[in-house]
Amino acid sequence: MSTIMDGKALSCEIRAEIKAKIDSQKEKGIEAPSLAVVLVGNDPASKIYVRNKKNACAEAGITSYEYTLPETATEEEVLALIEKLNCDEKINGILVQVPLPKGIDEKKVIDTISPEKDVDAFSESNIGKYFLGNAKFLPCTPGGILHLLDKYEIDVNGKNCVVIGRSNIVGKPMALLLLQRNGTVTVCHSRTKNLEEYTKNADIIIVAIGKPKFLTGDMIKEGAVVIDVGINRLPDGKVTGDADFESCKEKASFITPVPGGVGPMTIAQLLLNTLEASNDK
Ligand code: NDP
């Protein structure tokens, strides 16, 4: 039987700590940290993510400002808004909700965010910093996962870590952060042959591919740690992860549920980064 890693509870703990810190700063006359959330277009999922992030900010005592541009906004208009926010002293962190509408160069927009305000840590400059191990902001999903590993005292040192998925926002940074913790890291992806050879030998598996219930119990070894990043909406409206929770939990020593595992930790890391950005003032 495995221990279910409760990301929701840990996220609440971290948010409460952030709030306590901000409250005590306020008593000393220090302004609350602030986050600008930029939403371009009408993507329904993006609207939900933005709403959730704003609610999380409010609960933690972080001031959030929403900047909404229409689907028809041009790249120049988006870049002009970012430049304005870069110079705005009342804004500590800037987050651009992706995906952006077609015709807008996402990379160019992200790289325009001032590195000191890039709380998602998606810009080239911040990627370079955490690559070299001297980051101020950790990328939110991998950073949140490290907090979960710490909470459950899961030591990465010397462990065989398999990361399935190599996206720039989850798989690659996750692999790098595990490497920095002295894990022996293998990154698997859609071209990997005989995936099971890797997963069956893994002490820690991070699965982030966007394929419902892909990782099954027969693919993992007894006692493995399974971190499920996937968020997949099924036809019946339910949300499920990339791991088959029921079969994996029979063999795993620790496993994250979906929902309630990695998702809330991603938001907790965003709030931590925003607090960190405000400490620079
Ligand atoms: P991407 O679509 O950007 O990347 C998916 C990765 O999975 C690619 O590297 C792809 O390989 C790999 N892949 C796809 N199919 C297979 C397969 N059959 N075997 C092995 N590898 C495969 O996804 P993201 O990283 O952005 O997101 C992954 C999942 O995590 C999604 O469900 C997303 O919703 C979720 N997510 C959750 C977050 C959270 O807070 N919980 C945050 C961010 C994402 P290749 O490169 O070869 O194409």
Side-chain angles (χ1 to χ4, degrees), residues 141 164-167 169-171 188-191 195 208-211 214 229-232 242 262-263 266:
T141 300
I164 317 177
R166 55 173 165 177
S167 70
I169 62 166
V170 187
C188 299
H189 45 78
S190 70
R191 311 292 174 89
L195 181 70
I209 61 176
K211 299 255 179 316
F214 177 86
V229 182
I231 302 178
N232 306 291
D242 288 345
V262 173
T266 298

Side-chain angles (χ1 to χ4, degrees), residues 95-219:
L95 177 155
V96 176
Q97 186 63 48
V98 291
L100 291 171
K102 280 199 187 91
I104 299 181
D105 182 344
E106 211 162 275
K107 187 177 171 306
K108 195 167 170 188
V109 170
I110 301 293
D111 284 337
T112 302
I113 302 172
S114 152
E116 290 74 35
K117 297 189 178 188
D118 169 33
V119 286
D120 259 337
F122 284 168
S123 66
E124 271 186 5
S125 161
N126 281 327
I127 291 170
K129 284 187 183 137
Y130 66 73
F131 184 91
L132 296 171
N134 56 9
K136 187 162 80 149
F137 307 128
L138 287 182
C140 295
T141 300
I145 291 171
L146 292 188
H147 285 288
L148 259 181
L149 294 176
D150 289 341
K151 174 74 184 177
Y152 288 87
E153 297 179 353
I154 295 165
D155 189 8
V156 174
N157 194 350
K159 299 278 168 57
N160 283 339
C161 305
V162 168
V163 179
I164 317 177
R166 55 173 165 177
S167 70
N168 289 335
I169 62 166
V170 187
K172 282 185 205 161
M174 188 74 246
L176 195 66
L177 295 180
L178 292 169
L179 182 63
Q180 283 166 2
R181 289 193 167 198
N182 298 324
T184 302
V185 183
T186 306
V187 182
C188 299
H189 45 78
S190 70
R191 311 292 174 89
T192 300
K193 294 195 175 86
N194 305 324
L195 181 70
E196 286 189 31
E197 276 179 21
Y198 301 96
T199 56
K200 278 183 172 157
N201 198 29
D203 302 308
I204 300 174
I205 304 176
I206 317 270
V207 59
I209 61 176
K211 299 255 179 316
K213 303 186 182 194
F214 177 86
L215 183 79
T216 48
D218 56 354
M219 295 168 74

